[in-house]
Amino acid sequence: MNYFFESLWAIFAKDIVTELRSKQVLPTMIVLGMLIVWVMRIVSEAASLSTMMMGPAVLWIAFLFSGLLAQERSFSTEEQEDCISGLLLAPVDPGTIYIAKLLVNIVMLCVFEAVVVPMVFLTFELSIGGKWFEFMGVLLLGNIGISSIGTLFSAMIQLSRVRGALLSILVLVVLMPMMIPAIFALLFLFGVIPEEVAGTGFLALAGSLKTSVGYLVAFDVVFTVACWLLFGFVVQE
Amino acid sequence: MVKKSQNNRIDESIIDVISVSKSFGTRPVLNGVNLKVGRAQGVCICGVNGAGKSTLLRIISGLLEPSQGSVKLCGLEVGSEPEKTKSQLGVISHKSMLYPDLSLSENLLFFAGLYSVKESRKRVKELLEELGLASYRYDRTGILSRGMLQRLAIARAVIHRPAVLLADEPFTGLDTEACQHLISVLGKFRADGGTLVMTSHDTRLGLQCCDRVMVLDKAQIVFEAMTSEIDTDLFVQDYLAYAGNRD
């Protein structure tokens, strides 16, 4: 157990230090996030759409697409100089490598959110009331979901030498079931739609804040465990 | 070029490759390869491009699973006890497996952490001094020349004092001076009781590091001898003519 934490910390710290030195991902993520926020603000202004309605959607769009950048990077650094072989030759369980990479991607998204969330609040004039704790909880659950899928697919794509838009396509398709409760959780939190909606279609599916958060937790647990178990097969030639 | 030496009797085998076959799709790369390597022995595997040299090393290291057969390292099955066998193994190839954005010390400390090396800082300092890289310890690895990078790769591979070192084309891209330095480092590793298995296109350099040579061709070992049994110059000449015809 001690060795698990030692190797986990070693890989995590190595990736964070590498990013702090190279500054390849975070600046790009933040610029992309700002661009998405501003474009969506202009669209909502031009189309006279409710900023309260648009705000939560913009948050997830920014997280999703900027998150893809971080995830794409997580294994491209390992591919340079065949570093992934160095990792796999060490007596480290592949699952430990996955968890370390997942934590790095979650941290990157959290740092990104610390910059972009205040921007979205200001640009879209959002107000959360006193529900900051719940708000951050929903964002964290979303981060875990986006990162767990993105980390596995990034490994699959980078190590199988298939490039291009495949990561975005695969990740976005698999994340669709998670994005629905994620968006509704924020809409409930911002008070855009009242809780305990007995509607039809997507609204009936979302139900309430509690139900949406429940879906998010279930998605995170199922997909994180599944990706952790599958990771060994992905990196094995 | 078919010769199998009878004098390479191994008392204690460190690497035991038993009837290993490997195919990629329908193309066989290795076909029933057997190989025993004893403690502190140095084996140079020669062969033309695509002969299966790197595949054999990747199978021994556990990075690749054989289609058939098995590999034992220090008496342990590679596939079934990966953690134990990996800690007995160091690997160098023409790629350094090092992170260009980390310093030399950071790279070595990272790998020392993965292998749970005791007194890792002391070990890193010792290795950097031994390989003549101590004055660069805080520099980024990305600025190193090819020769220095290869020396650092050796430090990475032996940081946990492995019993076996696998070297896949370690001389690629090195100048004469760097090659001689590498030969002396590999020689020291063997003198300290380490077992070396390497592949090399440069047969002459390969033979300087090893006491046994084998040629892999058409997915099989077609020649095997102790270097003490053969005329090295004649072997290199014969091999080059053979490889030329094969290419």
Side-chain angles (χ1 to χ4, degrees):
Chain A
M1 201 62 183
N2 204 15
Y3 177 68
F4 166 77
F5 286 112
E6 270 177 38
S7 42
L8 184 76
W9 171 249
I11 300 167
F12 176 81
K14 181 267 295 172
D15 275 10
I16 295 289
V17 169
T18 306
E19 173 52 24
L20 289 175
R21 297 256 168 88
S22 64
K23 295 180 188 72
Q24 281 196 357
V25 179
L26 264 176
T28 325
M29 284 173 78
I30 290 169
V31 170
L32 177 66
M34 284 164 71
L35 202 66
I36 290 170
V37 172
W38 281 107
V39 168
M40 296 306 272
R41 180 67 183 106
I42 293 164
V43 169
S44 72
E45 193 73 42
S48 307
L49 295 168
S50 152
T51 53
M52 282 298 273
M53 191 79 96
M54 286 286 283
V58 172
L59 275 174
W60 287 122
I61 293 168
F63 298 164
L64 206 56
F65 286 97
S66 301
L68 283 173
L69 285 177
Q71 289 142 18
E72 200 171 3
R73 169 81 177 149
S74 52
F75 284 93
S76 64
T77 51
E78 302 298 345
E79 217 209 342
Q80 273 182 314
E81 287 292 327
D82 197 24
C83 292
I84 188 69
S85 292
L87 273 185
L88 295 172
L89 284 164
V92 184
D93 181 66
T96 312
I97 302 172
Y98 173 76
I99 299 285
K101 294 279 179 189
L102 170 64
L103 289 175
V104 172
N105 283 335
I106 291 172
V107 168
M108 295 283 236
L109 263 179
C110 286
V111 174
F112 167 77
E113 284 165 0
V115 178
V116 170
V117 167
M119 224 183 106
V120 173
F121 270 68
L122 285 173
T123 319
F124 286 84
E125 296 149 20
L126 298 178
S127 159
I128 193 81
K131 295 175 178 170
W132 279 103
F133 181 74
E134 291 92 328
F135 175 69
M136 285 193 283
V138 170
L139 290 195
L140 185 64
L141 287 172
N143 280 0
I144 296 170
I146 293 171
S147 302
S148 63
I149 298 288
T151 306
L152 181 79
F153 279 87
S154 162
M156 275 170 73
I157 288 159
Q158 292 290 339
L159 304 178
S160 66
R161 292 165 181 82
V162 185
R163 295 286 184 277
L166 200 59
L167 178 69
S168 336
I169 295 165
L170 289 173
V171 171
L172 295 179
V173 168
V174 179
L175 279 176
M176 278 301 278
M178 192 208 77
M179 291 320 294
I180 298 164
I183 291 169
F184 275 106
L186 286 192
L187 290 175
F188 285 128
L189 270 173
F190 285 109
V192 178
I193 45 175
E195 281 211 40
E196 307 298 343
V197 184
T200 52
F202 283 144
L203 283 179
L205 205 69
S208 66
L209 176 62
K210 220 179 212 175
T211 321
S212 299
V213 170
Y215 282 138
L216 278 177
V217 172
F219 183 94
D220 285 356
V221 171
V222 170
F223 278 87
T224 305
V225 173
C227 292
W228 173 65
L229 292 172
L230 286 171
F231 189 76
F233 297 102
V234 168
V235 291
Q236 190 76 40
E237 277 187 57
Chain B
M1 196 173 200
V2 180
K3 180 190 176 185
K4 295 273 177 108
S5 171
Q6 299 303 307
N7 292 342
N8 52 3
R9 195 171 64 85
I10 309 295
D11 294 325
E12 186 195 2
S13 104
I14 291 288
I15 301 172
D16 210 344
V17 176
I18 308 154
S19 305
V20 162
S21 298
K22 180 73 187 176
S23 304
F24 292 116
T26 53
R27 193 172 66 87
V29 178
L30 295 173
N31 187 11
V33 171
N34 288 291
L35 170 67
K36 270 182 195 286
V37 186
R39 189 175 292 277
Q41 207 174 47
V43 178
C44 177
I45 304 172
C46 306
V48 294
N49 284 334
K53 308 182 296 290
S54 300
T55 304
L56 180 59
L57 288 201
R58 286 179 84 79
I59 288 174
I60 296 172
S61 70
L63 281 176
L64 206 58
E65 270 185 45
S67 309
Q68 269 175 22
S70 63
V71 177
K72 281 185 179 174
L73 203 77
C74 305
L76 302 165
E77 190 106 18
V78 169
S80 53
E81 297 187 76
E83 265 89 40
K84 282 182 187 167
T85 51
K86 281 174 181 178
S87 56
Q88 297 292 327
L89 196 71
V91 178
I92 50 173
S93 75
H94 46 278
K95 293 228 176 166
S96 69
M97 304 182 201
L98 294 161
Y99 298 91
D101 289 313
L102 299 184
S103 73
L104 279 68
S105 295
E106 285 167 341
N107 258 307
L108 294 185
L109 281 170
F110 170 64
F111 284 99
L114 294 186
Y115 285 95
S116 302
V117 174
K118 300 236 163 54
E119 296 186 8
S120 54
R121 286 183 188 280
K122 196 179 154 196
R123 175 74 178 143
V124 168
K125 196 172 169 238
E126 182 186 294
L127 276 171
L128 288 174
E129 276 167 10
E130 200 178 306
L131 292 162
L133 295 167
S135 55
Y136 299 94
R137 73 180 60 167
Y138 302 117
D139 291 337
R140 273 183 63 241
T141 303
I143 65 151
L144 295 183
S145 69
R146 177 80 187 98
M148 286 154 83
L149 195 62
Q150 192 65 311
R151 273 188 267 163
L152 188 64
I154 294 171
R156 171 196 53 72
V158 300
I159 194 144
H160 55 296
R161 297 182 178 89
V164 177
L165 185 63
L166 304 178
D168 188 11
E169 305 286 356
F171 299 109
T172 308
L174 298 185
D175 60 23
T176 317
E177 196 189 333
C179 284
Q180 288 310 317
H181 194 278
L182 180 58
I183 289 168
S184 70
V185 171
L186 295 176
K188 189 176 179 303
F189 172 77
R190 284 191 54 210
D192 292 341
T195 303
L196 173 70
V197 179
M198 67 182 298
T199 66
S200 181
H201 274 301
D202 195 324
T203 326
R204 204 176 292 274
L205 289 173
L207 292 179
Q208 285 184 52
C209 309
C210 300
D211 47 19
R212 199 171 144 201
V213 63
M214 51 182 61
V215 177
L216 202 58
D217 191 24
K218 293 176 187 162
Q220 285 178 322
I221 293 169
V222 294
F223 177 87
E224 192 179 349
M226 302 300 286
T227 50
S228 56
E229 290 176 339
I230 55 170
D231 179 333
T232 316
D233 289 334
L234 198 62
F235 170 77
V236 172
Q237 216 175 333
D238 278 358
Y239 171 73
L240 289 177
Y242 177 73
N245 288 336
R246 290 286 298 122
D247 277 338

